[in-house]
Amino acid sequence: MMSERIKGVLSPVVTPFREDLSVDLPRFIDQCKWLQSNQIGLAFLGTNSEANSLSPQERLEMIEALVQAGLNPKGMMPGTGGCDLPSTVRLTQRAVELGCAGVLMLPPFYYKGVSDEGLYRYFSEVIQRVADDRLKIYLYHIPPVAQVGITLPLIERLLKSYPSVIAGVKDSSGDWQNTQAMLERFGPQGFDVFAGSETFLLQTLRGGGAGCISATANVNAVAIHGLYQNWKGPDADAQQRGLDRIRQIFQSFPMIPALKSAIAHWSSNDDWLRLRPPLTQLSPDQHRDLIQQLEAAGFSITGLR
Amino acid sequence: MMSERIKGVLSPVVTPFREDLSVDLPRFIDQCKWLQSNQIGLAFLGTNSEANSLSPQERLEMIEALVQAGLNPKGMMPGTGGCDLPSTVRLTQRAVELGCAGVLMLPPFYYKGVSDEGLYRYFSEVIQRVADDRLKIYLYHIPPVAQVGITLPLIERLLKSYPSVIAGVKDSSGDWQNTQAMLERFGPQGFDVFAGSETFLLQTLRGGGAGCISATANVNAVAIHGLYQNWKGPDADAQQRGLDRIRQIFQSFPMIPALKSAIAHWSSNDDWLRLRPPLTQLSPDQHRDLIQQLEAAGFSITGLR
């Protein structure tokens, strides 16, 4: 029996913090409800969620809180990868038990220059320890941040050993040739390639990919999903250019604080500005500049609580 | 009241694993006893300990196990730094409660290109949350692995705000000019600089530094401590050259598996060969080659259990 795979536009949901920097779960749930109501999948606990600034216990509680709040786990792909095997296994196991569509898994990223053999063994150990037929792993390739990447030969070997578990990849390399190579080599086997940003959404869909998992889906949710629905339409290229303009504005600031600035502005809630160190919020000047540029481009976010 | 600071030669103790890759605590305790009996300080849970391949809970249990086994916490500087604040605070707090001489603290290393301001806030948060006068932090500068480093202006600012807490640094940059700058700028304030390997031990001691924290102190313990004791002697330079020869042999292999190969060989216990993925052990050929080169250099380890 083939269950339906998660596809489309997913957001690495930004994490709201209270004044004491603890996770504000009710506000997080509201944000995820807003995203799901806009047809955005929840790739929460990603890079843009500051997941690696959260303890394994905090991450576990966030997965549980979302499901307990009644959000649909079939629209969830939480990030469960860390540097250590026990934490990764524990989080992954719980996500699977709760019915999440899949998990997005970073390679262990402390040691640099590790071999594909070592990474293969790491993912193998996770799969064997989780030991659940429902497990779907999306490999997370983000060399600019993790430094440790997921090569094509590694994907090939994992797919051969675990064809029903290795479900796809998020390619945040920013290198279209790499995304294209993944689409061509593994797409025909049912391996789902997600672009790491909407910049490559149209190209990815035209190449047979599954969609994108993008920071800016936190804020430009409606328009990005609009292109996903209409990618075969005659105005798809124009829609892509519209998305690119907004993306470029965000990209000219540090991304995570910029996302939080925009959400704070359009929800009229400055609590959203908080980040966990080592990240810091935009300066007041940067914040003003960001909002002005977005407004000048006709951008706004509606329906935030 | 000024308590006596930890100095000398410390080892990032390699971590022994059982067949199921769990931490072999009794064997770990034995190894630490052997090191302490050779006057080597225990900078366990470091890079060479595969600490970031261990969960926060496993790290906590290792700190507790050593103290409960009767080893002297005044000779301990466990690594407690990770990417997230709650885990770092919890481990640091426990190490201080148990009387450890200090903790070695990595900066949060997932996000790259972070600002000194963000890192300052991170360390500040840790210090304020641990809230214990006994806390002594040794900053861990290891840019080749962590990618996120500890700059001189960051040290200056932290020292100004927390003069009794910021006790020193381990400089694993491999850049002597950086170590020298730390010695010159902060040494006179009582800031203890440890070289990141014995390659710079003599230079560091001559520059007023505190010693070294070195991977190869796991295996070449006696000789490295020998130089520490005799660094003002007429044959100190010759001793340094002897250390360098052994270090060079280890450095021509992947360091952590090479340390484990040597300990496995001289303890006649192949259980020592295990590593957690993504790290992998030496091939049989590499293992043989390493041991041959070490034997040809007159090297051996005695007294291992």
Side-chain angles (χ1 to χ4, degrees), chain A residues 47 50 110-112 145, chain B residues 47 50 110-112 129 145:
Chain A
T47 297
E50 300 171 70
Y110 182 66
Y111 295 101
K112 307 305 187 289
V145 183
Chain B
T47 297
E50 301 171 71
Y110 182 67
Y111 296 101
K112 307 304 187 289
R129 286 165 193 241
V145 184

Side-chain angles (χ1 to χ4, degrees), chain A residues 177-200:
Chain A
Q177 294 201 312
N178 189 63
T179 311
Q180 198 168 29
M182 288 174 169
L183 284 164
E184 287 170 5
R185 257 174 88 168
F186 309 117
Q189 302 170 51
F191 181 81
D192 287 329
V193 176
F194 288 88
S197 90
E198 74 275 22
T199 312
F200 299 114

Side-chain angles (χ1 to χ4, degrees), chain A residues 20-21 47 50 52-55 58 83-84 86-87 106 108-112 118 122 129 145 147 276-278 280, chain B residues 20 47 50 52-55 58 83-84 86-87 106 108-112 118 122 129 145 147 276-278 280:
Chain A
D20 66 358
L21 297 181
T47 297
E50 300 171 70
N52 282 299
S53 299
L54 303 168
S55 71
E58 288 177 312
C83 291
D84 75 88
S87 302
L106 279 168
F109 53 83
Y110 182 66
Y111 295 101
K112 307 305 187 289
Y122 180 88
R129 284 164 193 240
V145 183
Q147 307 281 327
R276 276 202 181 170
T280 53
Chain B
D20 66 357
T47 297
E50 301 171 71
N52 281 299
S53 300
L54 302 167
S55 72
E58 288 176 311
C83 291
D84 75 88
S87 302
L106 279 168
F109 53 83
Y110 182 67
Y111 296 101
K112 307 304 187 289
Y122 179 88
R129 286 165 193 241
V145 184
Q147 307 281 327
R276 276 202 181 170
T280 53

Side-chain angles (χ1 to χ4, degrees), chain A residues 3 6 58 140 166 187 210-211 215 223 226 255:
Chain A
S3 64
I6 189 167
E58 288 177 312
Y140 188 5
I166 301 299
M255 180 59 81

